[in-house]
Amino acid sequence: MPKFLQSALAFVRTYFALLVVFAVFLWSAFVIVAFRSQQTPPGSVVIRLGHWQLEASVREGIDEMARLYREKHPNVVVIQDAIPEGTYGQWVSTQLMGGTAPDILQVGAMLPANIWLSYYNRYFFPLSRYVNAPNPHNAGTDIADLPLRQTYKDGMKTAYVTEMQEYMSVPLSLFGVRIFYNKDLLKQLTGRDEAPRDYRDFLAVCDQIRAAVNADTGQPYIPIAGSQYHFAHWDGMMFSPVTYGAFRRADFNRDGFVGNDETFVAFKTGLLDFYYPPYALWLKMLREVTDYFQVGYTGLGRDEAVFLFAQQRAVFMTTGTWDARSLQEQAKGQFEVGIMDFPIPSRDDPVYGEVVEGRIYESPGGGFQFGVSRNSKNVDVAVDFLLFLASQQGNEKLNGIIGWIPAIVGTELDPLLQAFEPHLEGIYGNANFTLGGNTAVTWAQRYSLYQVNQISFDDFAREYTEYYVRTGLEDFLEQQRDWRRGMQRNEQYLAGIRGRAILADQAAAAARTPEEQSAAALDAESAWVRYRAITASRQIWGELNHARQMDLVKRDKLPEGFVGPYEYSSNVLAKIRQRLRDEASK
Amino acid sequence: MARNFGRRTEGFIDMDHRTTQFARVLLAGLLALGLAACGKKTDHAGDVATLIGDGWTAYRLSEYSNAILAFEAARAAAEKGSADWAMATYGLATVWDLRRPGEDSKQATQLYQEILAAAPESPMIPWTELALARQQHLVPVGQEPDYAAVNQAYRHILDQFPGHLAAKEAFLYLQSIQLAQLEPKSTRAAVAQLEDFVAREKKEFLSPAWSLLAVGYHTLGDQEKRLRAEKNSFETTEVDPSDPYIEFAWAYWNLGTIAEFEVGDFDLARKYYQLLIDTYPKDIRVYGCKQALARMDALEAQIRAEEGI
């Protein structure tokens, strides 16, 4: 064998492992480059879009929208990076930190809010200037002249990051939760074509279902497929809104809500207890409805309940818009899926009539939000593609394919989703019984026992109230220990705005032309107004709010002559009476 | 193992020298490429103003190490005591003061003091004094501020720089501390100061001053004045010219409930509840506003029936 070959063989033998790694690397690089060049013809502008929605319809929807966009802009290619939920947080972090992030990224979940805030600040492009201008893709529609934010059903409120005073994302869909039901099974077991809308009718139907037995298997039918995941839907959408009326007694600062500090003081001073009708009836309804869940539901996860429903062993199950299309697909050829609103008691219901004032208020907050990365080499194209998705026509098309609710006004809703139309006026829950630490743990224990009927209402009310009133203050003080930390974070942020404003002042002073001077002055004014607004809303009130909260929670009795927050004092009543007399005498 | 290793070594020695050299160069090149890709150190060259701008941009992006490099380079490039030097030093002190993690309060204080000593005529002096006062006020978790020293520091700013934005900010912090005592004596003193401020001030921090006044009047039990102060606070809210959209749903609700329950001015209450319903029809409080309108109508009807009018 020639000496050269011997040497080469020896080299290969010595560095075999390293060479294999190197060869694999080269192969991977070749495959990726070949694949990318196949996807992106020479000269094209590539927009990469990263998200965590692995549902097939989402990918189809985005691909179709990319195709439609390409009809208008033939040189733009949109490539999706669909990353599983479980790893999205890590993936997005490494991509952003490594400077390799896609141009457009889904934002707002899979990481804690404070992490997203720091990422927005560091890695994302503020979108406020686009938000306050009309969306060019709405040209020719009835919303052509409206600023982008006003074209949203929710006013684009979820896109606004208060800490930054900037809009940082473009939401594309709305979401909601409703009850899905097996229409065929309902008909077979109860003779009804439609699901009951009234609470009493619903309970009666559940009784009928529970009494029926599957002739093939000999197993009884389950009225409601439940799990701990599904319980949260029922509690949030149907049970806890019964507690709305508690604000009339305990909303001491009259902001419209009962905070955990207010509930605690109301319990301590005897204004509220678990026998107060809104609370007692909330817990009563919870027990009544969950009695129709399958046994042991608290220990089950989401999939077990979905399995029961898909196997046609249960008639009702809650879920959200995100599952609507896939559930419909799963049931195809087996049974027809219906969607109904949560059944609520009527105002003349003998038990609940006094506390149920209406349906729950559903905030039409936009989700499926996307931000534009600062790393993007084509920011304008990336923003334009998002505006295309957020246009009236584009948003309707995208959500029509995915099976979700469009976020833009004047869009048509998929017929399947019409039951998801949010209630824009209504009530909300005012139940907040934990103050952190030990009260949270004790609440979770007692509440779970009550849910599964292992503790009576009287025992639950007595045991938890004793513990809550005895240890609540300690928990609250512990939670409040680091109240200044929030102010320090604000101070850090404000210093940045102050620095920018001072520089903007200097730029205005140094401007050479009147136009430059005017633009710089506007920039400076904007920065100073933001600075003053955040200082006023965050920093000035810290000391005062803390003092007022501490003053409230330490109260053991009500002040003399106490008047409920939504009651008129005798002085005010006298004043109103006098005014009416004066008006009548004129 | 030892024999195998020996055979491999022998083979390696026998290898063609050029091949070995090529392999070494290739590996070294790949290593160098890899290291180069790991990251680049920010190059801080340019004029002082650019460096200061870079420093603040890096600070806002939480790139604290780069901010320090930029501010240090600007400080070194500027003449000690000049306006640029003061601005660069202020930026550097701010980073050490407020960066988390890695803060160094002592170094920050030292730098702030250095500005006061070396650049007494700099426009950054009021902001530097405010930063020193804030350091005393925003103490670490678990500690209580020395309020006497904090109040003195804020008063010092008011005395030294009347009319400056930093002084107006210090004034509001000072009054907030007084009002937070929630007792009549300190509240009366703060109310007097705030009344004087709103009488003089035309724009900057006017709205929060009215708002603090409303708190003071509430503590003193003067609900008519509280309502007027809240109304003035709402009407003097500053609007950002680059983003004129501000949501007033909470302000309408607040004014409506004070007018209804504290003052009994149903006309005003109706006006604000109706404004919320009309302007923010999707707000969570719309149901509450409609309830309030019905409640007032019912009460008036009841009184009219009782009075026979």
Side-chain angles (χ1 to χ4, degrees), chain A residues 8-294:
Chain A
L9 202 60
F11 179 81
V12 169
R13 276 211 313 255
T14 308
Y15 293 104
F16 183 73
L18 202 60
L19 287 169
V20 168
V21 172
F22 189 59
V24 170
F25 171 76
L26 283 179
W27 173 250
S28 310
F30 171 76
V31 169
I32 290 170
V33 169
F35 181 68
R36 288 267 160 93
S37 61
Q38 199 181 9
Q39 283 182 313
T40 58
S44 53
V45 174
V46 180
I47 296 295
R48 281 176 59 214
L49 183 150
H51 62 84
W52 66 75
Q53 310 293 161
L54 294 193
E55 299 92 330
S57 60
V58 175
R59 280 174 287 169
E60 276 170 34
I62 294 172
D63 277 344
E64 175 61 11
M65 297 312 291
R67 191 189 64 73
L68 292 173
Y69 188 76
R70 209 172 168 187
E71 284 178 4
K72 294 181 179 177
H73 306 277
N75 63 331
V76 178
V77 178
V78 178
I79 297 174
Q80 294 187 60
D81 290 333
I83 309 298
E85 276 182 21
T87 54
Y88 189 80
Q90 293 94 315
W91 178 80
V92 87
S93 300
T94 49
Q95 294 291 313
L96 289 169
M97 288 175 192
T100 54
D103 303 79
I104 299 172
L105 276 166
Q106 189 172 6
V107 296
M110 307 301 154
L111 283 170
N114 61 323
I115 302 284
W116 273 121
L117 179 61
S118 68
Y119 285 178
Y120 288 144
N121 196 21
R122 203 166 176 170
Y123 301 118
F124 285 86
F125 189 74
L127 301 170
S128 299
R129 72 187 170 101
Y130 300 98
V131 167
N132 289 308
N135 182 346
H137 296 282
N138 280 332
T141 68
D142 57 338
I143 56 172
D145 299 328
L146 291 180
L148 179 68
R149 61 182 162 71
Q150 285 181 13
T151 67
Y152 272 76
K153 290 178 184 170
D154 70 337
M156 220 174 167
K157 63 185 177 189
T158 54
Y160 190 69
V161 179
T162 317
E163 289 85 351
M164 299 177 67
Q165 304 265 299
E166 295 276 9
Y167 289 86
M168 296 303 297
S169 63
V170 175
L172 297 173
S173 303
L174 299 181
F175 298 94
V177 173
R178 292 290 182 269
I179 301 171
F180 285 52
Y181 64 99
N182 182 328
K183 274 191 157 183
D184 300 335
L185 201 53
L186 181 72
K187 173 83 177 167
Q188 180 195 326
L189 302 179
T190 68
R192 298 177 70 112
D193 289 317
E194 288 299 322
R197 298 172 65 87
D198 175 76
Y199 180 71
R200 295 282 159 205
D201 291 346
F202 180 71
L203 295 187
V205 163
C206 285
D207 272 333
Q208 272 182 287
I209 296 167
R210 191 160 57 180
V213 175
N214 186 321
D216 298 332
T217 63
Q219 286 184 322
Y221 284 101
I222 296 157
I224 303 168
S227 69
Q228 204 53 292
Y229 168 83
H230 293 92
F231 173 80
H233 293 161
W234 288 92
D235 195 22
M237 297 292 295
M238 187 170 163
F239 312 150
S240 68
V242 171
T243 63
Y244 174 70
F247 82 97
R248 295 192 179 93
R249 289 215 180 165
D251 176 19
F252 301 115
N253 63 5
R254 245 190 248 120
D255 63 355
F257 306 95
V258 182
N260 63 350
D261 51 344
E262 291 171 321
T263 311
F264 177 61
V265 173
F267 265 68
K268 260 206 307 182
T269 55
L271 263 178
L272 288 177
D273 57 28
F274 285 110
Y275 292 90
Y276 177 56
Y279 290 154
L281 292 173
W282 159 50
L283 293 165
K284 182 179 167 58
M285 183 184 278
L286 178 160
R287 181 66 76 60
E288 272 177 359
V289 175
T290 56
D291 273 354
Y292 295 106
F293 285 20
Q294 75 273 32

Side-chain angles (χ1 to χ4, degrees), chain A residues 187-432:
Chain A
K187 173 83 177 167
Q188 180 195 326
L189 302 179
T190 68
R192 298 177 70 112
D193 289 317
E194 288 299 322
R197 298 172 65 87
D198 175 76
Y199 180 71
R200 295 282 159 205
D201 291 346
F202 180 71
L203 295 187
V205 163
C206 285
D207 272 333
Q208 272 182 287
I209 296 167
R210 191 160 57 180
V213 175
N214 186 321
D216 298 332
T217 63
Q219 286 184 322
Y221 284 101
I222 296 157
I224 303 168
S227 69
Q228 204 53 292
Y229 168 83
H230 293 92
F231 173 80
H233 293 161
W234 288 92
D235 195 22
M237 297 292 295
M238 187 170 163
F239 312 150
S240 68
V242 171
T243 63
Y244 174 70
F247 82 97
R248 295 192 179 93
R249 289 215 180 165
D251 176 19
F252 301 115
N253 63 5
R254 245 190 248 120
D255 63 355
F257 306 95
V258 182
N260 63 350
D261 51 344
E262 291 171 321
T263 311
F264 177 61
V265 173
F267 265 68
K268 260 206 307 182
T269 55
L271 263 178
L272 288 177
D273 57 28
F274 285 110
Y275 292 90
Y276 177 56
Y279 290 154
L281 292 173
W282 159 50
L283 293 165
K284 182 179 167 58
M285 183 184 278
L286 178 160
R287 181 66 76 60
E288 272 177 359
V289 175
T290 56
D291 273 354
Y292 295 106
F293 285 20
Q294 75 273 32
V295 176
Y297 75 92
T298 51
L300 301 180
R302 172 185 174 178
D303 292 345
E304 281 100 335
V306 175
F307 197 51
L308 275 183
F309 185 75
Q311 279 190 325
Q312 304 202 60
R313 288 181 57 201
V315 177
F316 300 104
M317 185 183 72
T318 58
T319 193
T321 37
W322 52 91
D323 273 341
R325 186 54 56 86
S326 57
L327 263 180
Q328 200 186 30
E329 291 296 320
Q330 276 183 41
K332 199 175 267 179
Q334 296 184 61
F335 61 93
E336 191 183 348
V337 175
I339 303 177
M340 61 181 273
D341 208 337
F342 285 82
I344 60 167
S346 59
R347 292 307 296 265
D348 59 359
D349 186 280
V351 178
Y352 296 99
E354 62 170 317
V355 296
V356 175
E357 299 186 31
R359 289 206 171 273
I360 187 171
Y361 167 80
E362 291 176 292
S363 172
F368 194 35
Q369 293 163 262
F370 289 89
V372 175
S373 157
R374 282 183 193 269
N375 290 327
S376 174
K377 291 186 180 73
N378 302 294
V379 171
D380 288 340
V381 181
V383 171
D384 193 61
F385 181 64
L386 282 181
L387 293 177
F388 177 68
L389 299 181
S391 65
Q392 200 176 55
Q393 216 180 348
N395 197 248
E396 184 179 299
K397 177 90 181 164
L398 173 70
N399 284 287
I401 298 169
I402 302 177
W404 290 350
I405 304 174
I408 304 299
V409 294
T411 43
E412 289 282 323
L413 201 63
D414 184 315
L416 175 75
L417 299 172
Q418 270 159 9
F420 282 94
E421 195 69 55
H423 313 129
L424 298 177
E425 189 184 317
I427 57 172
Y428 44 88
N430 275 318
N432 198 347

Side-chain angles (χ1 to χ4, degrees), chain B residues 7 23 29 37 129 136 154 161 233 243 247 270 281-282 305:
Chain B
R7 280 214 322 256
E129 293 276 17
Q136 293 187 70
Y154 286 141
F161 315 105
S233 170
D243 181 15
E247 189 178 287
R270 284 189 175 101
K282 294 169 195 161

